[in-house]
Amino acid sequence: MKKCVVILSLSLSLLGCQSASKPSPIVKPFPADPPVAQPVAPATSYTPPPVATKSSAAPQVEDQAMLKFCLKELDALKKVDAKQYQSKNAELNHLLSEAKTYVQVRNSLNSDMSVILDSAFQYRIARTCNDIRVDLTQSLLQRIEKR
């Protein structure tokens, strides 16, 4: 489990370095006077606007810290409610395994798909960690309320 987390963390860090090396689009300020309308030639093909990418490695550091804290909470859940721990541990291990596979093929995907899947994995990991936190909190509260 820890080995998988380290591999995933390093992979996410490397992804941040790759996207940090991409040039960011230049933002021009609005002109003081509105431009005069010019005739426009019909477009032959549609080119989507550039996708916003992460410009620094800071989000990866936050993701790593969040995952590290998530694992601590999972370990605490093991001590408080072993049944919930088994379920959440299996879910998190499966998700990290899928993320590891995705990282291995990520460079083969187009940038639009990578942005979508990066966000999807970040969401699922954050959601699973939140579920762990909720289960831990509820288990602890149930222990307090029992007489």
Side-chain angles (χ1 to χ4, degrees):
M1 171 70 183
K2 289 183 180 183
K3 188 175 184 181
C4 183
V5 171
V6 170
I7 292 171
L8 180 63
S9 297
L10 291 174
S11 299
L12 289 174
S13 297
L14 292 175
L15 292 177
C17 294
Q18 288 176 350
S19 62
S21 65
K22 293 180 183 175
S24 62
I26 298 174
V27 178
K28 296 180 182 178
F30 288 109
D33 296 324
V36 178
Q38 299 290 329
V40 179
T44 56
S45 67
Y46 171 57
T47 305
V51 177
T53 59
K54 295 180 182 179
S55 59
S56 70
Q60 281 77 25
V61 172
E62 292 172 8
D63 291 343
Q64 290 174 7
M66 185 263 311
L67 189 57
K68 193 179 271 190
F69 195 72
C70 180
L71 292 173
K72 282 184 177 183
E73 288 179 334
L74 183 63
D75 190 47
L77 184 62
K78 180 180 182 179
K79 296 172 185 171
V80 175
D81 188 343
K83 186 176 179 181
Q84 287 287 341
Y85 166 79
Q86 291 293 334
S87 170
K88 295 303 176 188
N89 186 44
E91 184 178 346
L92 188 59
N93 280 333
H94 173 72
L95 189 56
L96 292 176
S97 173
E98 291 299 322
K100 180 180 173 185
T101 302
Y102 164 66
V103 167
Q104 292 171 350
V105 299
R106 185 180 186 276
N107 290 333
S108 303
L109 307 174
N110 69 40
S111 63
D112 292 339
M113 187 181 288
S114 296
V115 169
I116 292 168
L117 289 170
D118 289 352
S119 299
F121 273 108
Q122 288 174 344
Y123 164 75
R124 280 293 292 135
I125 291 171
R127 182 175 149 196
T128 302
C129 288
N130 185 61
D131 290 347
I132 291 169
R133 180 173 294 126
V134 167
D135 288 348
L136 177 60
T137 303
Q138 287 177 345
S139 295
L140 288 169
L141 287 174
Q142 287 173 356
R143 287 174 154 243
I144 292 170
E145 292 175 357
K146 285 186 179 178
R147 294 180 186 183

